[in-house]
Amino acid sequence: MSGTRPPRQELPDSDPEDSEELTGVVCLESDLLDGQMMEVEVGHHSVLLTRSEGRYNAIGNQCTHYGAPLSQGFILGNKVRCPWHGACFNIHTGDLEEFPGMDCLPCHKVKIQNSKVYVTVNKKTLMQEKRIKSMGGAEPGVTHTILLLGGGAASLICAETLRQEHFGGRIIMASKDELLPYDKTRLSKVMNVESDSILLRRMDFFHKYDIEVWLRKEALSVDTDKKTVTFDDGSVQSYDQLLISTGCRAKGLDLPGMKLDNVKMLETPEDARQIHSVCLGCNVVLVGTSFVGMEIASYLIDKASSITVIGSSEMPYQNTLGREIGKVTMMMLSEKNVRFYMNDNVTEVIGADGKVKEVVLKSGKVIPADVLIVGIGIKPNSEFLRGSKIQMDSKNFVKVDKYMCTNVPGVFCGGDLATFPLKMAKHQLVNIGHWQMAQAHGRIAALNMMDKQTELSSVPFYWTVLLGKTIRYAGYGEGYTEIVMKGKFEDRKFLALYIKDDEVIAAASLNYDPAVSAVAERLVTGKVISKKEAESDDLSWLQLS
């Protein structure tokens, strides 16, 4: 990789027992060129050393999201982007600049002496791979109230950003969920997950920064004239500014039999645990070949007796990743004895003794089923907005501008519920149900609530895991006309570049890091990747070894 060098390890220059700091010679000045980075060690502690415009910086090397080594990522200007899931960090401050990470990195002191680069770490940070950005709390006498509807990523990041930006008023997060905000991306990947292990923040965090959390409390209506929200327990809360991020719910099959036992849909950690439990040693039929459906099928391979997947298209992911990648993923699962019935639909769910027994397909095929899992799409949780002045589109998603503001001043919307203008797609209105975008929405909404006018400029980045292999995707590929391939699908190592109007608009990869992060960084900075550049054998712009 042209942006990094192998780690150079030397014994620390000093480590007095009574010192709070540990200093080590990590490399020679000549070992690192401008725009490069390398992993170094100080006291068995992994540090990322970077050089930009002649200046050296040292920050933690492990991404605060899932611990990826940032030295294997992509560096451009004053940012380093994680190779796994696209989180970005400022190389000067260690501050998080793009999600899905939530925390910042520790920073370390660097000095140059006699052409040697010295890094000094504080021993207290040796055990801390992440830090929370400085946040304030409520201030006496400030009565301004911001109400956040929904307990997901957008609401959480909005609340945190408000406190980071020194908002001193009241923050209320109201959620119909029973749990504090948690990592929903884990549910289809590790289904026997304990709820406590996926919480994004614990209650003491919310107490410390004066963020009120109301659980098991669902909004029933919004009155934007009176600036009030009415809840299912009869209470009414007034607000000065409002964020609506109530998300979406799973869509069921419009068929008799959906009320039978062992018909499951995945929405909560409890749903995930139930699916894990009821599928052990059973014949499982899974309807839907979206990311969630395919991940569940992958998870159950060594647990269920048989797995049958029903898809309405010719290939999985056909409308998102395209036929080619759909074909590869289908082959990967088929090799593990997952059966596919594509271009087909369920027409009848047959039960016996209150439980699912068989599933009948449009093609006439009858499939035995002990468990039926439905993952065919989502419905927006926006019914409570009917009758309000808040504008929705034809599918009942809430329309916002580039500042995440609805048509009603002071009312914002974010997350899966929002239809928003995507900058990289020439501000085309889109609805993108990705975790990282929901987090970005929350941040932008918070900044604009504080009159710090900021446009949404994030590039979508998401990932899916099948059989322990991660497919990464960045950009917005709708309307692509061709795919430029690097590597081969059949080798399970590839980079697919999606082309529209002779430009790259998205990328997907398997075992080709940090290519997708490189593409994401190019797209977010507005640097066009031409079709000619994509087709070239020169991949130096991807920083691949």
Side-chain angles (χ1 to χ4, degrees):
M1 187 188 302
S2 62
T4 184
R5 298 289 180 102
R8 179 190 182 99
Q9 299 181 33
E10 295 193 18
L11 291 174
D13 265 336
S14 62
D15 185 17
E17 289 185 13
D18 58 348
S19 170
E20 292 185 354
E21 294 184 333
L22 182 63
T23 300
V25 179
V26 295
C27 67
L28 300 175
E29 238 187 308
S30 57
D31 285 347
L32 206 60
L33 303 177
D34 251 19
Q36 290 187 333
M37 59 183 173
M38 63 190 288
E39 178 186 2
V40 298
E41 284 195 9
V42 180
H44 307 294
H45 186 62
S46 178
V47 172
L48 183 70
L49 184 70
T50 64
R51 182 176 177 178
S52 177
E53 297 177 349
R55 178 180 169 186
Y56 288 85
N57 289 277
I59 57 177
N61 188 41
Q62 283 186 284
C63 178
T64 60
H65 182 227
Y66 285 166
L70 295 174
S71 58
Q72 296 176 20
F74 183 80
I75 186 171
L76 185 66
N78 65 352
K79 278 195 303 186
V80 59
R81 189 178 275 266
C82 171
W84 290 359
H85 307 123
C88 287
F89 300 89
N90 187 298
I91 61 174
H92 302 307
T93 64
D95 285 352
L96 178 77
E97 293 197 351
E98 182 58 274
F99 305 99
M102 291 179 56
D103 297 314
C104 303
L105 292 164
C107 279
H108 310 297
K109 291 186 282 189
V110 181
K111 72 174 182 178
I112 312 297
Q113 191 172 324
N114 299 326
S115 298
K116 292 181 180 180
V117 181
Y118 292 77
V119 172
T120 300
V121 300
N122 189 304
K123 287 183 179 179
K124 290 180 181 178
T125 69
L126 288 174
M127 303 302 293
Q128 298 172 348
E129 293 297 342
K130 56 181 72 175
R131 62 177 173 84
I132 293 173
K133 195 172 183 179
S134 176
M135 293 172 63
E139 298 171 8
V142 181
T143 59
H144 191 102
T145 298
I146 295 179
L147 179 58
L148 314 173
L149 298 181
S155 285
L156 176 59
I157 296 301
C158 183
E160 292 196 19
T161 304
L162 288 168
R163 290 298 188 226
Q164 289 166 4
E165 297 294 326
H166 312 295
F167 172 70
R170 187 181 183 192
I171 301 174
I172 304 168
M173 183 192 302
S175 169
K176 69 177 183 179
D177 290 342
E178 296 184 0
L179 286 176
L180 293 172
Y182 59 88
D183 186 350
K184 292 188 178 179
T185 68
R186 302 283 289 162
L187 295 187
S188 53
K189 300 175 178 70
V190 190
M191 302 193 72
N192 60 339
V193 65
E194 289 299 323
S195 300
D196 193 59
S197 70
I198 56 172
L199 294 182
L200 296 169
R201 302 292 191 205
R202 303 195 176 274
M203 189 56 85
D204 58 357
F205 173 90
F206 296 101
H207 288 156
K208 181 176 181 179
Y209 299 110
D210 299 317
I211 300 167
E212 296 177 50
V213 183
W214 298 350
L215 299 176
R216 296 176 290 278
K217 193 149 176 155
E218 185 174 0
L220 295 185
S221 64
V222 177
D223 187 326
T224 56
D225 290 331
K226 294 180 180 178
K227 291 191 170 183
T228 58
V229 174
T230 300
F231 291 94
D232 57 351
D233 60 0
S235 63
V236 178
Q237 176 61 48
S238 60
Y239 64 84
D240 294 289
Q241 290 170 302
L242 177 69
L243 174 69
I244 302 166
S245 56
T246 48
C248 300
R249 62 189 183 276
K251 187 193 298 182
L253 290 170
D254 189 17
L255 292 171
M258 283 299 290
K259 300 292 185 185
L260 290 168
D261 281 353
N262 288 6
V263 175
K264 301 293 181 184
M265 294 192 291
L266 178 61
E267 293 183 310
T268 68
E270 179 58 30
D271 294 336
R273 289 191 292 270
Q274 283 188 17
I275 289 171
H276 168 88
S277 176
V278 301
C279 289
L280 296 175
C282 291
N283 297 312
V284 177
V285 174
L286 208 156
V287 186
T289 54
S290 66
F291 295 100
V292 169
M294 295 288 278
E295 286 185 350
I296 293 174
S298 172
Y299 174 81
L300 292 174
I301 277 173
D302 59 350
K303 300 170 183 70
S305 177
S306 70
I307 303 169
T308 303
V309 175
I310 316 299
S312 58
S313 57
E314 190 176 345
M315 294 288 171
Y317 312 132
Q318 191 157 314
N319 296 327
T320 49
L321 299 180
R323 289 172 45 84
E324 294 88 346
I325 293 180
K327 184 177 180 181
V328 171
T329 56
M330 197 163 136
M331 283 172 48
M332 288 169 64
L333 294 183
S334 296
E335 288 171 1
K336 300 292 183 180
N337 299 318
V338 176
R339 289 193 294 271
F340 285 86
Y341 292 90
M342 303 302 291
N343 284 327
D344 218 334
N345 292 289
V346 177
T347 57
E348 190 177 359
V349 180
I350 299 172
D353 301 322
K355 293 187 176 183
V356 174
K357 184 183 179 185
E358 292 175 327
V359 173
V360 182
L361 304 186
K362 185 180 179 181
S363 60
K365 181 74 178 176
V366 179
I367 304 169
D370 302 313
V371 183
L372 174 62
I373 303 170
V374 179
I376 58 171
I378 55 172
K379 286 182 179 179
N381 292 323
S382 59
E383 288 84 357
F384 71 102
L385 298 176
R386 289 175 187 162
S388 77
K389 294 183 177 178
I390 297 165
Q391 187 179 1
M392 294 186 278
D393 65 14
S394 60
K395 295 180 180 178
N396 295 318
F397 292 91
V398 177
K399 294 170 72 172
V400 298
D401 61 17
K402 58 189 176 183
Y403 307 111
M404 305 312 297
C405 193
T406 68
N407 61 303
V408 179
V411 178
F412 297 78
C413 182
D416 297 0
L417 188 60
T419 294
F420 62 95
L422 183 63
K423 183 176 180 180
M424 67 153 288
K426 299 173 183 173
H427 293 100
Q428 176 186 341
L429 282 176
V430 299
N431 173 255
I432 297 176
H434 300 331
W435 188 248
Q436 162 256 3
M437 287 306 296
Q439 292 173 296
H441 290 173
R443 177 177 178 272
I444 297 300
L447 292 172
N448 288 298
M449 286 175 175
M450 300 279 293
D451 293 325
K452 299 184 177 184
Q453 196 174 72
T454 310
E455 296 181 16
L456 179 71
S457 60
S458 293
V459 166
F461 196 114
Y462 64 90
W463 64 97
T464 187
V465 179
L466 297 176
L467 306 176
K469 304 290 186 184
T470 302
I471 296 174
R472 317 192 196 286
Y473 181 97
Y476 184 69
E478 186 174 285
Y480 76 90
T481 53
E482 60 183 304
I483 294 178
V484 172
M485 280 296 303
K486 306 294 179 184
K488 294 181 179 179
F489 288 119
E490 53 268 30
D491 291 344
R492 314 271 165 96
K493 180 177 181 178
F494 62 80
L495 169 65
L497 298 168
Y498 298 77
I499 310 293
K500 180 181 179 181
D501 299 329
D502 290 329
E503 293 180 11
V504 173
I505 58 171
S509 76
L510 176 63
N511 292 322
Y512 223 89
D513 294 340
V516 169
S517 288
V519 171
E521 197 55 35
R522 285 283 293 264
L523 292 174
V524 82
T525 53
K527 295 179 180 177
V528 170
I529 305 171
S530 67
K531 177 183 174 182
K532 184 177 180 181
E533 191 174 8
E535 290 176 334
S536 168
D537 290 333
D538 179 11
L539 296 182
S540 58
W541 61 278
L542 288 173
Q543 292 194 3
L544 296 171
S545 53

